């Protein structure tokens, strides 16, 4: 499954700005974030519905998050902050 393209990410610009502010994350391409040199967060467009994949704690696979509502986006940002901070502690 391909990553979401910049056009699909346009409605998520406020969310992307919040993710860019998280300490330890680096956006290597639009909507593709790394943490400590490893893939951490990216987005997929599934038939017009954008979803986020966030690296699972421990590093094996990704958890899928909807990002279609402000509460869902807040949940993603909060969890990304928590997991990025945990990666810094390792």
């Amino acid at each position: 499954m391909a990553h979401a393209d910049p056009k699909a990410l346009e409605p998520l610009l406020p969310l992307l700005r919040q993710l860019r502010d998280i300490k330890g994350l680096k956006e290597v391409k639009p909507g593709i974030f790394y943490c400590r040199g490893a893939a951490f967060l990216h987005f997929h467009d599934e038939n017009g519905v954008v979803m986020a994949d966030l690296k699972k704690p421990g590093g094996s696979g990704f958890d899928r998050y909807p990002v279609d509502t402000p509460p869902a986006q807040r949940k993603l940002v909060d969890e990304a902050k928590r997991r990025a901070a945990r990666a810094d502690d390792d």
Side-chain angles (χ1 to χ4, degrees), residues 34-55:
Y34 276 59
C35 182
R36 298 181 69 195
F40 183 76
L41 172 69
H42 56 268
F43 296 87
H44 294 282
D45 183 350
E46 299 177 0
N47 300 317
V49 177
V50 179
M51 303 288 284
D53 284 349
L54 178 63
K55 188 76 150 191

Side-chain angles (χ1 to χ4, degrees), residues 24-26 34-40 84 86-90:
L25 295 191
K26 179 179 180 182
Y34 276 59
C35 182
R36 298 181 69 195
F40 183 76
R86 176 184 272 170
D88 275 348
D89 291 341
D90 291 343

